[in-house]
Every structure is written in C-alpha cells, then in structure tokens.
C-alpha cells in the first residue's frame, strides 16, 4: 500500500513548485534481479521535516535512502530534490550529505581536518573553512576536541564529528543511515535528543533510516513504516502508535498482545479461545463471521487478584514472569499452553504479585484494535504472530 502526501509549497505562473529541501519519490522502483527492493513507491518529504524510514531488514528503507543520496539509481519512476529531478545525477552533485553507521573518519587527520575536508575539496576560501568548521563543531559540542585524532575519541564523539562533517556543507537534505546503532543505550538516547534539537535549530530536512522504533518515535515529525519495498503507513508518531492501519504496523511499532478469533454476527466483538474481546465500536474492518486478530498493548492491561465484574475483556491466568524496568514493571501471564500476555504498569501502581500467582487481566474496550487475520505478522515482520508472546522471566 504506497502512501503519498502532497507537498506543493510554492507556486508561480507555470504551476506549483517544490521548495528547497523537499524530496519527492514518484512511483520509484528498484530491482535487484527479480526482486523488487523498492516497489512503485511514492513519497513526499516536506522541507525542513524530520522523517524516519522504519522497518525490518529487507523492507527497502536503506535502498530508498541510497537512491536519494545517489548511490543507487531507480529502475523506474522519478526522484526530485528541491524540485529538480536527480535521475542520473552523481552523489557529489546533489545538495545532500549522508551520515553512515560506520563514521569513516580519516584516522590520520584531526577532528577539524576531517570536518574541513569536504569544504577544501570544493575549494572554499580558507577563512570561510575555519569559520564554518568552528561553527559546525560548536553545534555538536566538539569544538574543544578539534585537534584530536579520531582514535582518541569515544564512539559518541566520533558520531558527533561525522555529523559535523555532514552539516558543515550546509546541505538541503541530510540523510542518516542508522548512525546511532553502534552506540550504547544511554548515549544513543542522548544523541536522539541532540539530533532533534540540531534539526529543529537548522531547519534542514532530515531523512533517518532505522529499524529501532524507539528512535523513530522519539525524533520524527513523521514516520514511514515500510514493508516489502512499499510504505505501509505514513503518519506522525502518535498516529502510528495509537492508530496503526494494519497488524503489521501494530506489531512492528511497540509490543502487542494478539488474540485470534471470529467477528460476532453483530460486529460487537471478537470471540477467541480465551474469551470475548469487545472494542469501543462495532467492528467494520472485518465482516461478521470472518477471522480477525484483536490487539491490546501491554500498558492497557490491568492485573487484579479478583475477577472483574464484566466477563468481556477479562481473562484469568498464572504469572510466570516479573521484570522490573525502573519506572514500570512488566508481567508475563500465561493463559494457556500456547498463549501468554504481557502487562506493563507504572511501578507505583503495580500489583504485589509474584511468579505462580493466579491473576485476572482486563482492559477497556477503547484499548482493543481489530485487524484482518491475513494481515497479521510477527515482531520480525514476516509471518503470522504466535499466540504466545515470550519475554525473559525473572
């Protein structure tokens, strides 16, 4: 399901024009032999926005980025940057820069020399080079490290230098290919904040490729969730998380508890092996009597020792795992031989239950989402999800 969002921000007598910093992919296809890595994809990236291409390995996100950068050429369709077609235009003639997962800094050069390299290749006057290098290093908080070599820097510091090297050229579009993947969790979270602040300050279009849903949700103005070379859903973070258009998106972005069942005759609920799941409104996405998959996120599942007054949206099980995650506690509750639920609750409100306890799990109708059975996939994005959701037990 390719998704297109119109992006016409300027107009003249000849019609609408695309603004500086816009990126438009118009029915782009890229094949490797018989395989379509990107399949008839249309996408408008707005000037100055932070857009993430999110998906599992093999979904086409990196190929899409490489075509924008000019490292790959489409087999069909058009690709425009700032309103100009770049088909056949080499990378060095596009007003874009790329930050890779491997920072590729020159080890024999200082930090300042690494950042200055691109400007010197373009024969920018020396005075301007010094000024722009100092400005770029200050922006990423690395000015005091200007005379150090890359081997004298931590991974996070090298990442900042690679970012400064890309920004110093003042591109219209900055492409980032999983640049935070090699960093530890704490540093990665810090750099997520810094990247978003830098992007907001500069107003440059950022196109960020990641398989990490947390990165995409925390930084992006919009997220394009990709599947088999196409865009499954394109929306802001809140919409992607709260209103996924398919089980694929629901499963890939955040955790889900999935129930397989059949839509009731009046569409009021999904009859599963473990009880009836009733959404807030009648099911319309799947017809009466059809197989469907209902989803409930872990944070919406309450755990109590006593049976709830209403049977719908309530199931009994045994606690088989408890994990303390700091601000939240996570419970794994087994319902049957092949079915378990994850509940994640704020630590101050978490129930005092342990492994082996019998509990009731319940959730509100507004927390139930329903998808067609044939859309269901696993967390790795390739096959129907199992009825058991496994997490480490403690």
């Amino acid at each position: 399901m390719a998704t297109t969002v119109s992006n016409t921000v300027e107009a003249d007598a000849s019609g609408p024009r695309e603004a500086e910093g816009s990126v438009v992919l118009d029915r782009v296809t890229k094949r490797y032999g018989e395989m379509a890595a990107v399949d008839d994809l249309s996408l408008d990236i707005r000037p100055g926005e932070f857009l993430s291409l999110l998906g599992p390995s093999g979904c086409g996100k990196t190929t899409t980025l490489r075509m924008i950068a000019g490292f790959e050429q489409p087999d069909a369709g058009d690709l425009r940057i700032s309103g100009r077609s770049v088909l056949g235009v080499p990378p060095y003639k596009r007003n874009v820069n790329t930050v890779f997962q491997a920072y590729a800094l020159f080890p024999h050069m200082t930090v300042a020399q690494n950042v200055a390299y691109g400007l010197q290749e373009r024969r920018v006057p020396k005075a301007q080079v010094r000024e722009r290098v100092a400005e770029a290093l200050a922006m990423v908080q690395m000015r005091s490290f200007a005379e150090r070599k890359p081997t004298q820097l931590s991974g996070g510091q090298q990442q900042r230098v690679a970012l400064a090297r890309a920004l110093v050229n003042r591109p219209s579009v900055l492409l980032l290919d999983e640049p935070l993947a090699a960093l530890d969790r704490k540093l990665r979270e810090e750099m997520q904040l810094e990247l978003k602040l830098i992007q907001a300050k500069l107003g440059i279009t950022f196109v960020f490729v990641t398989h990490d849903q947390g990165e995409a949700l925390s930084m992006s103005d919009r997220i394009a969730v990709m599947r088999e070379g196409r865009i499954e859903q394109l929306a802001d973070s809140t919409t992607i998380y709260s209103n996924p258009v398919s089980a694929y998106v629901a499963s890939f972005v955040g955790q889900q508890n999935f129930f397989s069942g059949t839509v009731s005759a009046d569409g009021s609920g999904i009859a599963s092996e473990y009880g009836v799941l009733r959404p807030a409104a009648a099911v319309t996405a799947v017809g009466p009597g059809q197989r469907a998959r209902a989803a409930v996120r872990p944070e919406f599942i309450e755990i109590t020792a006593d049976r709830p007054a209403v049977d719908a949206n309530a199931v009994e099980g045994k606690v088989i795992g408890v994990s303390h995650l700091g601000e939240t506690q996570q419970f794994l509750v087994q319902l049957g031989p092949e079915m378990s639920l994850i509940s994640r609750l704020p630590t101050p409100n978490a129930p005092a239950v342990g492994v082996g306890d019998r509990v009731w799990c319940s959730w509100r109708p507004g927390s139930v989402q329903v998808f067609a059975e044939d859309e269901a996939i696993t967390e790795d994005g390739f096959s129907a999800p199992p009825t058991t959701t496994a997490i480490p037990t403690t």
Side-chain angles (χ1 to χ4, degrees):
M1 176 174 60
T3 305
T4 307
V5 176
S6 178
N7 176 38
T8 54
V9 295
E10 295 184 7
D12 57 21
S14 62
R17 284 206 327 264
E18 294 150 4
E20 185 70 22
S22 65
V23 180
V24 177
L25 290 87
D26 185 5
R27 304 195 66 177
V28 167
T29 295
K30 178 63 180 178
R31 293 185 176 276
Y32 296 102
E34 296 299 316
M35 185 195 74
V38 175
D39 187 10
D40 197 33
L41 184 146
S42 292
L43 171 65
D44 288 8
I45 302 173
R46 301 163 183 163
E49 83 168 322
F50 196 125
L51 182 130
S52 289
L53 301 175
L54 175 67
S57 297
C59 70
K61 58 186 185 297
T62 296
T63 301
T64 299
L65 193 83
R66 289 178 61 82
M67 286 192 290
I68 298 172
F71 302 127
E72 303 281 355
Q73 290 294 324
D75 295 316
D78 192 19
L79 200 163
R80 301 187 296 277
I81 298 175
S82 301
R84 294 175 289 277
S85 177
V86 291
L87 295 181
V89 177
Y92 63 90
K93 290 189 176 181
R94 303 185 184 197
N95 193 18
V96 303
N97 273 98
T98 307
V99 179
F100 299 98
Q101 181 177 340
Y103 309 132
L105 302 176
F106 296 116
H108 63 286
M109 293 184 180
T110 65
V111 165
Q113 289 169 339
N114 266 281
V115 176
Y117 181 79
L119 297 177
Q120 292 169 342
E121 287 294 299
R122 297 182 181 185
R123 301 187 183 278
V124 174
K126 290 183 178 180
Q128 286 188 35
V129 170
R130 287 194 297 270
E131 179 182 343
R132 287 169 62 174
V133 167
E135 181 185 63
L137 289 176
M139 192 177 302
V140 298
Q141 302 177 34
M142 288 294 292
R143 194 166 183 173
S144 61
F145 296 84
E147 298 308 314
R148 291 194 186 184
K149 298 288 182 66
T151 54
Q152 297 173 300
L153 305 177
S154 68
Q157 290 168 338
Q158 291 183 47
Q159 198 274 346
R160 287 184 172 92
V161 175
L163 182 60
R165 183 178 59 185
L167 292 173
V168 77
N169 293 313
R170 298 174 181 172
S172 297
V173 181
L174 184 66
L175 309 174
L176 302 106
D177 188 6
E178 305 203 49
L180 310 183
L183 306 181
D184 61 60
R185 179 179 176 180
K186 184 175 184 296
L187 184 55
R188 188 165 63 247
E189 290 174 350
E190 291 174 357
M191 287 306 303
Q192 289 170 15
L193 292 174
E194 287 192 27
L195 275 176
K196 183 58 181 174
L197 289 172
I198 289 171
Q199 190 269 341
K201 178 180 178 181
L202 296 178
I204 293 175
T205 305
F206 275 31
V207 183
F208 189 92
V209 161
T210 183
H211 65 274
D212 187 315
Q213 55 177 293
E215 286 184 352
L217 290 170
S218 66
M219 293 188 292
S220 309
D221 297 318
R222 291 189 301 162
I223 300 171
V225 182
M226 296 191 66
R227 178 184 190 181
E228 297 178 350
R230 292 172 174 258
I231 295 175
E232 186 85 355
Q233 185 171 6
L234 173 63
D236 60 86
S237 298
T238 299
T239 302
I240 290 286
Y241 188 84
S242 301
N243 297 292
V245 298
S246 66
Y248 175 88
V249 177
S251 180
F252 193 82
V253 180
Q255 288 181 301
Q256 291 277 12
N257 295 291
F258 284 101
F259 292 80
S260 290
T262 303
V263 179
S264 62
D266 60 1
S268 64
I270 308 298
S272 79
E273 180 182 351
Y274 299 97
V276 178
L277 286 84
R278 296 196 186 280
V283 177
T284 57
V286 186
Q290 299 297 308
R291 297 291 295 175
R293 195 169 288 269
V296 185
R297 291 205 181 271
E299 61 266 30
F300 296 133
I301 294 182
E302 299 290 336
I303 292 180
T304 57
D306 299 326
R307 180 172 185 160
V310 180
D311 287 338
N313 296 339
V315 291
E316 186 184 18
K318 182 177 74 173
V319 177
I320 60 174
V322 181
S323 300
H324 199 298
L325 306 179
E327 68 275 13
T328 61
Q329 287 193 41
Q330 186 166 267
F331 302 88
L332 183 63
V333 180
Q334 186 173 32
L335 307 183
E338 297 182 350
M339 179 69 183
S340 59
L341 294 183
I342 294 177
S343 170
R344 193 177 301 117
L345 302 169
T347 296
N349 302 329
V353 298
V355 173
D357 290 346
R358 300 292 300 183
V359 297
W360 282 87
C361 300
S362 60
W363 50 92
R364 299 172 185 268
S367 303
V368 179
Q369 297 175 317
V370 180
F371 307 100
E373 176 79 358
D374 61 0
E375 289 185 292
I377 51 87
T378 57
E379 291 177 359
D380 64 12
F382 295 105
S383 58
T387 50
T388 300
T389 306
I391 61 170
T393 59
T394 60

